[in-house]
Amino acid sequence: MVGKDTAAVIVEPILGEAGAIMPSDDYLAQVRAITESVGALMIVDEVQTGFGRAGSMFQYLENKVMPDIVTCAKGLGGGFPLGAIMYHGIDFQPGQHGGTYNGGPLACAAASAVLDIIEDEGLVKNSKNMGKYLMDGLDAHSVHGKGLMIGIDTSSGKDKALAMIKRQMIPIYSGDILRILPPLTLKKPHADNIIKVLNEVL
Ligand SMILES: *Cc1c(COP(=O)(O)O)cnc(C)c1O
């Protein structure tokens, strides 16, 4: 229960490891209203959704909700280990927060290059467009998610994943949900290939 003794509420804007499960449209706004009413911090975990993965730079921006803290990693380094937080209205002093993968000069240089490429190559828009293209091509199945963060309900995700690997495609799965998270640089011919393989396997 969230109440006056709650320090913070941490939420994913879209459930990632669980299988690209979408909340209702007003989910973040409701969490914001509840945390504000009890004086708890709202922490949005954008480690997976951030930097274009789910078709926008950040889900909290798209939902027009201002969290107190946003966590970032994965896409920020584009494969290079890096973690970061963004915060708003908290008076952190130097040394009050840290992490194993925070602030390394090489990782920060990699992230700076990644952010340039995301912008220069329009990868957020590409993620949104290609995600829609993939989901349209797979609409015979129970497909959910956003941008290039897609889950498909199936029976035995593991068997389906193994069948895809035999066709040179490596998905991940969460129980019975097959997870499709292709690179943000995905182009139409790649998407067509994913659709073809999935329609064979599912
Ligand atoms: C991968 C993931 C994490 C873990 O990030 P680490 O950098 O491995 O600690 C946290 N939250 C979400 C939503 C993730 O997908």
Side-chain angles (χ1 to χ4, degrees), residues 12 17 45 47-48 73-74:
E12 279 183 274
E17 296 304 297
D45 179 350
V47 167
Q48 189 158 153
K74 296 197 172 116

Side-chain angles (χ1 to χ4, degrees), residues 36-49:
E36 232 158 44
S37 75
V38 299
L41 295 178
M42 176 181 182
I43 304 175
V44 175
D45 179 350
E46 297 249 16
V47 167
Q48 189 158 153
T49 48

Side-chain angles (χ1 to χ4, degrees), residues 7-202:
V9 175
I10 306 177
V11 292
E12 279 183 274
I14 299 170
L15 291 184
E17 296 304 297
I21 297 169
M22 299 293 294
S24 59
D25 289 343
D26 62 349
Y27 174 62
L28 289 185
Q30 286 203 35
V31 174
R32 179 71 284 185
I34 292 167
T35 48
E36 232 158 44
S37 75
V38 299
L41 295 178
M42 176 181 182
I43 304 175
V44 175
D45 179 350
E46 297 249 16
V47 167
Q48 189 158 153
T49 48
F51 304 97
R53 168 55 58 193
S56 62
M57 198 60 180
F58 294 106
Q59 297 305 302
Y60 81 89
L61 287 176
E62 194 168 303
N63 286 268
K64 298 187 170 55
V65 168
M66 182 56 81
D68 300 289
I69 296 176
V70 177
T71 61
C72 309
K74 296 197 172 116
L76 173 59
F80 205 89
L82 178 62
I85 61 167
M86 302 187 286
Y87 60 91
H88 167 81
I90 302 173
D91 188 23
F92 276 125
Q93 297 300 315
Q96 275 187 331
H97 66 85
T100 309
Y101 292 118
N102 293 356
L106 181 57
C108 290
S112 177
V114 165
L115 293 174
D116 285 344
I117 290 170
I118 288 174
E119 192 172 330
D120 293 348
E121 299 187 13
L123 296 186
V124 176
K125 194 154 179 253
N126 189 62
S127 169
K128 183 177 181 177
N129 293 343
M130 281 296 109
K132 184 169 186 319
Y133 185 77
L134 274 173
M135 291 215 264
D136 286 349
L138 295 166
D139 73 351
H141 311 285
S142 170
V143 58
H144 44 86
K146 200 156 157 285
L148 290 173
M149 185 169 169
I150 297 173
I152 305 167
D153 301 325
T154 174
S155 57
S156 177
K158 184 179 178 184
D159 292 344
K160 301 288 158 43
L162 289 172
M164 287 181 76
I165 287 168
K166 286 207 179 103
R167 292 164 173 80
Q168 279 80 47
M169 212 165 274
I170 306 174
I172 36 186
Y173 62 94
S174 308
D176 286 343
I177 301 178
L178 204 58
R179 296 168 58 204
I180 311 297
L181 290 100
L184 303 194
T185 50
L186 195 82
K187 302 243 173 358
K188 250 189 188 150
H190 307 131
D192 287 334
N193 196 28
I194 294 173
I195 293 167
K196 179 172 163 282
V197 166
L198 276 168
N199 282 330
E200 280 166 19
V201 163
L202 289 169

